[in-house]
Every structure is written in C-alpha cells, then in structure tokens.
Amino acid sequence: RHHDYLGLPAGLDFETKIFVKLDAPHLLRAELSSRRWKPEPIIMSGVTDPYQPAERRFRITRGCLEVLTEFRNPIAIITKNHLVTRDVDLLAELASHGAAVVNVSITSLQVKLQRVMEPRTSIPARRLAAVETLSRAGVPVNVMIAPVVPGLTDHELPAILHAAAAAGARSAGYI
C-alpha cells in the first residue's frame, strides 16, 4: 500500500522501487519507551518479507530485533528467506522468554516452480535448513504452505509436511 500512497503504479514498481526506512530501529525504540506502549506481539511481516535481499545490506530487521530483545517484546516473523538464521541469537534470546516465533513459508519443494512463483527468495532446501537451525536453537518454528495452488502445488502437501516435521517445525498450516 505504501506504493499506492506515493502514487506509484502497481506491477514492477513494487519490486524495483524499494523504500528503506533506516530510522526504523530508532522509531521502534521511541515507541517501546513511551509510557503509552503496552507490550503486545508485533508481527514482521504480513506484507513485505523482513528478510528480503536488501536486508543483507541495511540490517534494519536486525536493528529492530535488537530493540525488541532489549524490551523482551513478543515478535512473530513470517519469511521465505534463509537470512532469518543470521538473527538466530536474538530470536533464541526472545524465545527463551516465550517471546518469539518464526513462520517459514514453503510454496513448493520443486526449485524450478518455486523460482517462477517466488523469485529472489530462498530455495526450498534453504528454507527447510532455516527451520532446522531455528528449531535447534530453541525458536518455535511453524511452516506456512502458501499459496496452495490446485493442480499445481496441492499434490506436494504431504511431502512438504513430512520435510517440515523432519526439520523440526512444531506445526504447519496452509493458505
């Protein structure tokens, strides 16, 4: 919706014009420090993956997780990227207080299909490796099988569930 707000058209502008909010950790700290703030879970992200390729360079998600860890504020993450494992130290710290959960989205176990449906995201094996790394560190991990496309990916549900369980996922759901 941010692109709509700025008057940019839908389509490729959504992928090619990226707005980086470098002050996000600072703004988050100010909000959590406010007397008005009542601790409640924060979800990253229902719209944009917090571990998209730009995160490697800008480390904004990492900065926000550092603030959330300091305040022990509950966090839930939804991602399609292995980069989430970079922050396993912070997520494990939050999880030790019952304040973190990571949801890894897996659309298909077929790399060729996944690359067409979700370009610039981690391949299925890397996503499953992320589930395993996080789970071993004590971070509760769920797998989201999304989207399930009838006639294209629906036949993969049993295999994805088996792979997710073997990697240490505590639950799975689908959309």
Side-chain angles (χ1 to χ4, degrees):
R1 310 294 313 151
H2 187 72
H3 285 70
D4 291 343
Y5 175 76
L6 294 174
L8 297 173
L12 283 181
D13 274 346
F14 187 75
E15 288 190 32
T16 58
K17 296 195 184 332
I18 302 205
F19 298 89
V20 179
K21 296 175 178 135
L22 295 173
D23 60 348
H26 171 74
L27 294 172
L28 179 60
R29 179 180 303 286
E31 190 66 28
L32 296 182
S33 296
S34 169
R35 290 182 184 261
R36 296 182 330 250
W37 179 254
K38 291 182 175 40
E40 60 182 312
I42 294 175
I43 298 175
M44 294 177 161
S45 166
V47 177
T48 302
D49 194 315
Y51 289 100
Q52 59 185 293
E55 173 61 15
R56 280 187 174 79
R57 175 176 173 205
F58 293 108
R59 301 175 63 88
I60 296 167
T61 298
R62 173 84 187 182
C64 288
L65 283 175
E66 288 169 346
V67 173
L68 292 164
T69 301
E70 179 183 327
F71 284 85
R72 289 190 187 167
N73 197 92
I75 180 77
I77 292 176
I78 304 167
T79 187
K80 297 175 185 239
N81 289 295
H82 184 268
L83 184 57
V84 67
T85 61
R86 176 203 63 195
D87 297 332
V88 69
D89 59 326
L90 298 172
L91 293 166
E93 173 65 23
L94 282 166
S96 74
H97 301 287
V101 64
V102 175
N103 300 282
V104 177
S105 177
I106 299 176
T107 303
S108 173
L109 296 177
Q110 300 174 51
V111 175
K112 187 174 180 182
L113 179 59
Q114 176 268 323
R115 283 287 186 222
V116 170
M117 292 181 72
E118 302 169 326
R120 290 169 298 288
T121 62
S122 297
I123 63 171
R126 296 285 285 161
R127 296 185 203 193
L128 290 166
V131 170
E132 185 172 6
T133 297
L134 293 164
S135 180
R136 284 188 178 177
V139 179
V141 185
N142 306 311
V143 166
M144 301 287 297
I145 306 170
V148 174
V149 181
L152 187 62
T153 63
D154 58 344
H155 68 282
E156 291 192 71
L157 285 169
I160 293 171
L161 289 172
H162 179 73
R170 70 175 188 172
S171 71
Y174 69 93
I175 299 173

